[in-house]
Amino acid sequence: MKPTDITDPDYFHKVVDCQYACPSHTPVPEYIRLIAAGRFNDAYMINWQSNVFPGVLGRTCDRPCEPACRRGRVEEEPVAICRLKRVAADNKTDIRDRLPEIPKQKNGKKIALIGAGPASLTVARDLMPLGYEIDLYDDQSKGGGFMRSQIPAFRLPEKVLDEEVNYILDMGVVTLFNQQVSSLKEILDKNYDAVFVGTGAPRGRDLPDLPGRSEGDANIHIGINWLASVAFEHVKKIGKRVLVLGGGNTAMDCCRTAIRLGGEDVRVVVRSPKSDMKASPWEIEDAMHEDIPIYENHNPKAFISEKGRLVGMLFDVVEPVFDDNGKRTLVPTGEEVMMPCDDVLMAIGQLNSFPWIERDIGVEFNDWDMPEVDKSTFQTSLPQVFVGGDAAWGPENVITAVAHGHQAAISIDKHCHSEDVRVRPAPDFNLVSQKMGFHDWLYDVHISDDERNIVPLVDKKTAIADRKLEVEKGFDFSQGYEEAMRCLNCDVQTVFETDRCIECDACEDICPVQCINFIDNDTEENLRQQLKVKATNLDQDLYVSDILKTKRVMVKDENVCLHCGLCAERCPTGAWDMKKFLLFSAQAGQDRSSK
């Protein structure tokens, strides 16, 4: 193998698994250390630079970082990264003086944002400091998009959302709320330099052909529409017996909202086994904590009405059967179940809807009636039109929409300056030694042995009685500190200098996980098998040194390294050093401002 190029920002970025897994690549260990130090404003601003909505995401994120956390490789639970983000948000003071300064002299370019969700707001957050004028269109009365209309207040208080949305709107964004955009052509005729479409996936799936659908229509509701009606207080009650169809996060929000609006017998009904439910495990746990039962393997067969009013649903009980290729089919068992109900909430998926984009203006659509969007530039076939968030490729989550917004903003900025949108700017990163004395480091090397902290909840009876009362209390400072100390500092890298090594093998002897090997070079496939502990995780790289004096090489398996620093402390010549790797993803205008 060739020596590892540690100047490539992607190399150590991949080693910081939590940051690499985050769609917006938030520097997770860096802000966790700041939380442990009580520097909440600093921790918040690091989050804000990357994920834009720390208070929102500290409560609602889908947490792709946590399954990647190395702590989860040595014990059952990873670091509570998401909830630590909330610790920074809840304990910060006024940070408005830290927000980017907005130029009074504009750059002459004007952008339209369609939809006021997280993707569009991220585009505004990145472009306003560069001198752009921005018009934001949305059919709701406030910004936030589906963060406001689909996430219940008991999970995301309105004041938290308002605060973080207003950080962006107060930059001078022109808001055109309560305006339904019905024609993209009309928007383009206003001579905007670029248009960003961030309208989400606004159409909930229905079961229009199920027998009895039309007769029971008055009490059959599309889940996302019903949640929006609750959020804007158009709906304040529901029947006592409620069936929620679907196994995703929207279904969990629907059932938990229903019991707060008067539902006494609220059930979640899914076609597939519980193990196949798409809802996040913690969302399912929260619903079950509130005593909401989940009925699996029930396939809707008919809505049942009597005297013009919905009274129940009929289901076929099914079982999953797998063929020789592992393909699953849900096969009826012959058993039917009738469940009485007063209302049905359908949360069985979301669809995009673009009737307002004319098909003759240059935006190409694919076979799924979705705009053709470049996955790296977010540009459509009409160069000045960009699409991101759920509107691009279907429903995802808030943090993915934020990541889309950052990348779309880069493209819009390049397009407006007649630059190639396919040339993407490099991230900002550095690698800095953490040495003070010979055995002292600039970071706290003590790692807590504590298990993951459990977020305290409001009393269940009290929580259910108030739709707007936030259920999770969040960590207090003591709990936040304890949880932060569980972080393994995976961004503090073990960096090896070949010229300093005397091949005493002391580092190899002291390594607690036997990830350091001095060995004859070979192909990667052979090296992985020849290490003291076989390197079986192909997603993690091998760190390979240049040729040593004995003609051997040092090979370290990044998959099992604990970043404990024992190799650097033991090395008599300082061939090993602990260096903090810090990476911020590129944002709009970054490559131009550095010239």
Side-chain angles (χ1 to χ4, degrees):
M1 292 184 68
K2 293 181 180 180
T4 299
D5 179 10
I6 63 172
T7 64
D8 179 355
D10 277 343
Y11 179 73
F12 281 135
H13 189 196
K14 282 179 64 179
V15 179
V16 190
D17 299 74
C18 51
Q19 181 177 7
Y20 196 68
C22 174
S24 66
H25 303 310
T26 306
V28 173
E30 176 74 356
Y31 80 72
I32 286 179
R33 276 191 299 273
L34 292 169
I35 289 170
R39 294 170 56 185
F40 302 115
N41 285 15
D42 292 334
Y44 184 87
M45 291 311 299
I46 282 178
N47 272 279
W48 189 83
Q49 181 174 340
S50 299
N51 64 43
V52 185
F53 306 101
V56 172
L57 288 164
R59 292 164 163 83
T60 66
C61 190
D62 277 0
R63 315 179 195 177
C65 54
E66 291 190 13
C69 173
R70 287 173 184 260
R71 187 85 189 204
R73 302 182 194 178
V74 295
E75 60 185 54
E76 186 174 347
E77 293 286 351
V79 175
I81 298 169
C82 175
R83 291 325 187 228
L84 283 174
K85 196 181 284 101
R86 175 178 171 178
V87 171
D90 285 357
N91 289 280
K92 74 181 188 316
T93 57
D94 190 348
I95 53 84
R96 284 175 291 184
D97 61 336
R98 296 187 178 210
L99 299 177
E101 186 176 343
I102 307 304
K104 293 181 180 179
Q105 183 66 40
K106 301 303 181 182
N107 66 8
K109 305 293 183 181
K110 196 168 184 178
I111 313 299
L113 307 178
I114 314 300
S120 292
L121 290 169
T122 301
V123 174
R125 169 251 181 275
D126 286 359
L127 294 184
M128 286 299 294
L130 301 180
Y132 286 86
E133 294 181 79
I134 291 180
D135 290 349
L136 176 64
Y137 296 83
D138 196 275
D139 60 355
Q140 295 183 7
S141 58
K142 282 186 170 184
F146 289 168
M147 294 188 294
R148 187 176 300 279
S149 63
Q150 289 187 21
I151 302 178
F154 57 80
R155 287 180 56 210
L156 175 60
E158 188 175 23
K159 66 177 182 179
V160 174
L161 180 60
D162 284 344
E163 178 184 49
E164 296 193 329
V165 168
N166 288 340
Y167 284 153
I168 298 167
L169 300 185
D170 290 346
M171 291 178 174
V173 176
V174 176
T175 55
L176 300 155
F177 290 140
N178 296 312
Q179 290 201 28
Q180 177 82 45
V181 173
S182 59
S183 167
L184 179 57
K185 185 177 185 302
E186 289 182 6
I187 297 293
L188 293 171
D189 286 344
K190 295 182 180 180
N191 295 318
Y192 288 106
D193 294 281
V195 176
F196 177 79
V197 177
T199 50
R203 186 159 56 98
R205 288 184 182 273
D206 200 346
L207 294 172
D209 299 325
L210 205 66
R213 173 65 181 87
S214 58
E215 291 86 345
D217 182 67
N219 295 92
I220 301 171
H221 317 281
I222 303 299
I224 60 172
N225 298 343
W226 182 79
L227 285 173
S229 295
V230 173
F232 291 106
E233 301 191 336
H234 303 311
V235 169
K236 298 183 179 180
K237 61 181 181 179
I238 198 167
K240 292 184 178 181
R241 301 172 301 175
V242 182
L243 299 180
V244 179
L245 308 184
N249 286 339
T250 300
M252 300 303 102
D253 287 337
C254 283
C255 67
R256 296 179 69 195
T257 301
I259 63 172
R260 286 161 169 80
L261 295 189
E264 296 177 1
D265 177 7
V266 178
R267 307 179 184 188
V268 174
V269 187
V270 293
R271 296 175 61 243
S272 303
K274 288 182 184 178
S275 59
D276 291 344
M277 289 175 62
K278 293 183 178 180
S280 303
W282 50 89
E283 301 288 356
I284 297 172
E285 289 173 10
D286 288 342
M288 295 180 70
H289 172 72
E290 294 177 353
D291 303 318
I292 299 171
I294 299 174
Y295 292 81
E296 63 182 350
N297 300 323
H298 281 58
N299 191 35
K301 187 172 184 179
F303 296 99
I304 301 186
S305 295
E306 292 179 0
K307 299 180 180 179
R309 183 173 179 83
L310 183 72
V311 296
M313 279 195 74
L314 188 65
F315 297 90
D316 278 326
V317 178
V318 297
E319 61 180 357
V321 176
F322 297 87
D323 63 20
D324 294 338
N325 297 319
K327 184 179 180 180
R328 189 195 70 182
T329 304
L330 296 175
V331 178
T333 63
E335 180 185 358
E336 290 184 345
V337 172
M338 192 279 192
M339 292 189 185
C341 65
D342 302 305
D343 288 278
V344 172
L345 303 175
M346 289 192 287
I348 53 177
Q350 291 171 230
L351 301 168
N352 294 85
S353 181
F354 298 102
W356 56 279
I357 298 182
E358 293 85 352
R359 299 311 193 257
D360 60 351
I361 59 175
V363 177
E364 293 181 5
F365 279 73
N366 58 28
D367 293 340
W368 294 273
D369 204 31
M370 296 273 287
E372 289 282 4
V373 182
D374 187 281
K375 286 189 177 291
S376 61
T377 67
F378 296 85
Q379 190 174 43
T380 68
S381 53
L382 192 60
Q384 70 269 40
V385 176
F386 301 80
V387 182
D390 291 355
W393 298 286
E396 286 280 354
N397 48 49
V398 175
I399 191 62
T400 299
V402 168
H404 288 186
H406 284 312
Q407 292 302 314
I410 290 172
S411 297
I412 291 169
D413 181 55
K414 283 182 170 290
H415 170 76
C416 289
H417 286 83
S418 301
E419 297 173 359
D420 189 346
V421 297
R422 294 167 296 182
V423 178
R424 313 305 287 180
D428 277 340
F429 79 101
N430 56 35
L431 194 63
V432 179
S433 176
Q434 298 298 288
K435 281 183 179 177
M436 289 191 297
F438 195 70
H439 297 293
D440 297 310
W441 308 106
L442 290 170
Y443 63 101
D444 193 337
V445 296
H446 166 69
I447 303 296
S448 170
D449 292 328
D450 293 342
E451 294 183 354
R452 179 176 169 129
N453 282 266
I454 298 174
V455 178
L457 304 176
V458 171
D459 171 72
K460 179 165 58 178
K461 185 176 180 180
T462 304
I464 290 173
D466 185 349
R467 177 181 70 82
K468 294 187 177 183
L469 178 64
E470 186 171 15
V471 174
E472 291 191 1
K473 294 182 179 180
F475 291 142
D476 61 24
F477 175 74
S478 175
Q479 293 167 320
Y481 175 80
E482 291 172 0
E483 189 63 32
M485 293 308 292
R486 296 181 67 237
C487 177
L488 297 175
N489 297 312
C490 293
D491 61 337
V492 182
Q493 306 297 337
T494 49
V495 176
F496 183 75
E497 295 183 33
T498 305
D499 294 343
R500 288 179 173 266
C501 181
I502 59 173
E503 300 186 65
C504 65
D505 294 353
C507 57
E508 190 173 11
D509 294 338
I510 203 171
C511 177
V513 291
Q514 296 187 306
C515 70
I516 298 173
N517 301 259
F518 288 86
I519 192 172
D520 291 333
N521 205 348
D522 208 329
T523 63
E524 179 176 354
E525 182 180 4
N526 289 340
L527 278 180
R528 285 183 175 274
Q529 294 299 313
Q530 292 165 9
L531 303 184
K532 282 179 291 185
V533 178
K534 291 182 180 180
T536 57
N537 184 354
L538 301 182
D539 292 331
Q540 293 281 344
D541 293 330
L542 298 180
Y543 183 1
V544 182
S545 75
D546 210 338
I547 302 296
L548 296 159
K549 291 183 175 63
T550 61
K551 306 304 179 185
R552 299 183 299 173
V553 291
M554 186 288 302
V555 181
K556 181 169 76 76
D557 182 7
E558 298 286 16
N559 183 53
V560 294
C561 177
L562 295 174
H563 302 242
C564 62
L566 289 175
C567 55
E569 288 198 8
R570 180 66 182 84
C571 180
T573 64
W576 286 101
D577 191 7
M578 303 304 292
K579 293 190 176 184
K580 185 171 73 174
F581 173 82
L582 183 60
L583 179 144
F584 285 98
S585 294
Q587 294 187 356
Q590 177 176 301
D591 50 350
R592 189 175 308 105
S593 62
S594 62
K595 291 180 180 178

